[in-house]
Amino acid sequence: FMLLLSSCSDNQGDQARDENQQQNENAHSADAEAAEGAPEAATSDTNVQEKGVDEADQIKIGEHHLFVQRETSLEVIDRSALEHLETLDLGKDRQNFSLYSDEARLVVISESYEEFKDKNSYSCKRFGGANCYSSKPITVVELYELVEGKTPTLLKTHLFEGSLRDSRLINGRLVVVLDQRDVRGIVEAAIAKNDDKRCRRYITNRRSNRINRNGITEVVSVNTRDIEEEVQSLSVLADTRQIYMTLDALYLAENSYTYRYNSSNKTII
């Protein structure tokens, strides 16, 4: 009886193993057929709001490189060899880094602060000395050349006064939106060029206490492929909070508000 039971168990085990082997072979065959018929996997990139309008990120995939921004440094990796090429020092005095990769260009955007002497400030007039020094935000845009198998080479650096609000990139055209807080010089120039009294009065009113809250938005356009092209800029009397950009237009959203009783808040685009 034990010999017969053992013989039956062996036969059943062999049969089960044969069935499992056949199932595995069928599964591998199905996977191979699916892989042959499936399209090639697309390269993962930054999630964007609008197709064709790239947005900044801390990780960017170029044609031949992979870029990873870490605190104040940039890791450069060769895509084909999967080898680490170099770690670029981006500067310890800067912050809020963001990256773009566009054909043969790498764009690095960051913020810094520049110290200056402001004799007209309240603290300087009252206390003097070290209180006369203040700082203003500077947005830094760096353009690097990319060559396969080599580390990026810095081609040009742009310095723009104002803090970075946001940016977009379309076909080699970088659009940077800046928040201007020290607007006295810009407003004075606008008043000097404008002869319309109502507009002069409006700008003068905005120049008063409320100007520090409303500010001025500056839109800067940089050609990342032709680095010799002159930078274009446009100043808008608005306090931009959010932007949206398509292939044809740039939208600036501003919150309009006052501190009067029963006043209403508005969103202006």
Side-chain angles (χ1 to χ4, degrees), residues 80-135:
S80 59
L82 293 180
E83 293 181 353
H84 181 270
L85 293 177
E86 189 175 352
T87 300
L88 297 179
D89 184 10
L90 300 178
K92 299 186 182 301
D93 58 338
R94 287 149 58 187
Q95 58 190 9
N96 298 334
F97 291 91
S98 55
L99 308 175
Y100 285 101
S101 179
D102 178 51
E103 292 188 352
R105 292 286 183 270
L106 168 68
V107 182
V108 180
I109 305 177
S110 60
E111 284 186 289
S112 181
Y113 287 89
E114 181 179 292
E115 191 177 74
F116 68 100
K117 194 169 185 178
D118 187 6
K119 295 182 179 180
N120 296 321
S121 66
Y122 172 79
S123 58
C124 181
K125 290 180 179 179
R126 181 165 183 177
F127 304 106
N131 296 285
C132 293
Y133 288 91
S134 184
S135 62

Side-chain angles (χ1 to χ4, degrees), residues 12 18 31 44 60 71 90 118 164 168 173 185 201 215 221 248 254-255 266:
Q12 291 176 356
D18 292 341
D31 292 342
S44 176
K60 281 293 182 181
E71 296 184 351
L90 300 178
D118 187 6
L164 177 65
R168 296 290 188 272
R173 178 69 58 182
R201 188 163 56 248
S221 175
D248 303 315
E254 172 195 11
N255 294 330
K266 298 179 180 179

Side-chain angles (χ1 to χ4, degrees), residues 233-248:
S233 64
L234 171 69
S235 296
V236 182
L237 198 60
D239 185 10
T240 300
R241 293 300 174 186
Q242 289 185 335
I243 76 168
Y244 188 90
M245 191 168 184
T246 67
L247 295 174
D248 303 315

Side-chain angles (χ1 to χ4, degrees), residues 245-259:
M245 191 168 184
T246 67
L247 295 174
D248 303 315
L250 171 65
Y251 301 88
L252 307 177
E254 172 195 11
N255 294 330
S256 177
Y257 56 88
T258 61
Y259 287 98

Side-chain angles (χ1 to χ4, degrees), residues 120-169:
N120 296 321
S121 66
Y122 172 79
S123 58
C124 181
K125 290 180 179 179
R126 181 165 183 177
F127 304 106
N131 296 285
C132 293
Y133 288 91
S134 184
S135 62
K136 57 183 176 182
I138 302 293
T139 297
V140 183
V141 176
E142 295 176 315
L143 304 179
Y144 290 82
E145 182 181 22
L146 300 178
V147 179
E148 183 179 0
K150 297 183 179 180
T151 58
T153 304
L154 181 61
L155 295 177
K156 196 160 190 176
T157 301
H158 296 282
L159 303 177
F160 303 113
E161 290 190 12
S163 57
L164 177 65
R165 179 61 67 186
D166 212 336
S167 63
R168 296 290 188 272
L169 180 67

Side-chain angles (χ1 to χ4, degrees):
F1 175 79
M2 294 301 297
L3 290 174
L4 179 62
L5 181 61
S6 175
S7 177
C8 291
S9 299
D10 291 341
N11 291 336
Q12 291 176 356
D14 293 340
Q15 183 179 359
R17 281 193 294 271
D18 292 341
E19 292 178 353
N20 290 336
Q21 184 177 359
Q22 184 63 37
Q23 290 176 358
N24 291 335
E25 291 177 357
N26 294 337
H28 288 310
S29 177
D31 292 342
E33 292 177 0
E36 290 179 0
E40 293 184 3
T43 301
S44 176
D45 210 341
T46 304
N47 293 329
V48 295
Q49 295 175 323
E50 188 80 14
K51 185 178 181 180
V53 182
D54 197 11
E55 301 180 30
D57 209 338
Q58 273 66 52
I59 298 177
K60 281 293 182 181
I61 300 174
E63 185 176 357
H64 304 292
H65 301 82
L66 172 64
F67 305 101
V68 181
Q69 188 270 316
R70 300 181 185 276
E71 296 184 351
T72 59
S73 64
L74 179 66
E75 305 288 347
V76 183
I77 301 170
D78 187 294
R79 282 189 63 184
S80 59
L82 293 180
E83 293 181 353
H84 181 270
L85 293 177
E86 189 175 352
T87 300
L88 297 179
D89 184 10
L90 300 178
K92 299 186 182 301
D93 58 338
R94 287 149 58 187
Q95 58 190 9
N96 298 334
F97 291 91
S98 55
L99 308 175
Y100 285 101
S101 179
D102 178 51
E103 292 188 352
R105 292 286 183 270
L106 168 68
V107 182
V108 180
I109 305 177
S110 60
E111 284 186 289
S112 181
Y113 287 89
E114 181 179 292
E115 191 177 74
F116 68 100
K117 194 169 185 178
D118 187 6
K119 295 182 179 180
N120 296 321
S121 66
Y122 172 79
S123 58
C124 181
K125 290 180 179 179
R126 181 165 183 177
F127 304 106
N131 296 285
C132 293
Y133 288 91
S134 184
S135 62
K136 57 183 176 182
I138 302 293
T139 297
V140 183
V141 176
E142 295 176 315
L143 304 179
Y144 290 82
E145 182 181 22
L146 300 178
V147 179
E148 183 179 0
K150 297 183 179 180
T151 58
T153 304
L154 181 61
L155 295 177
K156 196 160 190 176
T157 301
H158 296 282
L159 303 177
F160 303 113
E161 290 190 12
S163 57
L164 177 65
R165 179 61 67 186
D166 212 336
S167 63
R168 296 290 188 272
L169 180 67
I170 303 179
N171 296 328
R173 178 69 58 182
L174 176 68
V175 177
V176 182
V177 179
L178 305 171
D179 184 20
Q180 295 281 0
R181 287 301 171 182
D182 186 13
V183 299
R184 288 170 295 182
I186 299 177
V187 172
E188 292 292 345
I191 293 177
K193 293 180 180 180
N194 202 317
D195 295 327
D196 183 79
K197 292 183 179 180
R198 282 188 301 175
C199 188
R200 285 168 59 90
R201 188 163 56 248
Y202 172 75
I203 296 177
T204 304
N205 185 36
R206 292 288 293 262
R207 184 185 54 183
S208 62
N209 292 333
R210 291 189 296 127
I211 196 67
N212 291 327
R213 293 196 300 271
N214 293 324
I216 285 182
T217 295
E218 184 173 7
V219 181
V220 178
S221 175
V222 178
N223 191 330
T224 61
R225 299 174 185 175
D226 182 5
I227 63 173
E228 301 303 326
E229 181 179 305
E230 184 178 355
V231 174
Q232 304 175 27
S233 64
L234 171 69
S235 296
V236 182
L237 198 60
D239 185 10
T240 300
R241 293 300 174 186
Q242 289 185 335
I243 76 168
Y244 188 90
M245 191 168 184
T246 67
L247 295 174
D248 303 315
L250 171 65
Y251 301 88
L252 307 177
E254 172 195 11
N255 294 330
S256 177
Y257 56 88
T258 61
Y259 287 98
R260 297 177 181 175
Y261 179 71
N262 284 338
S263 61
S264 60
N265 297 336
K266 298 179 180 179
T267 299
I268 302 175
I269 299 178

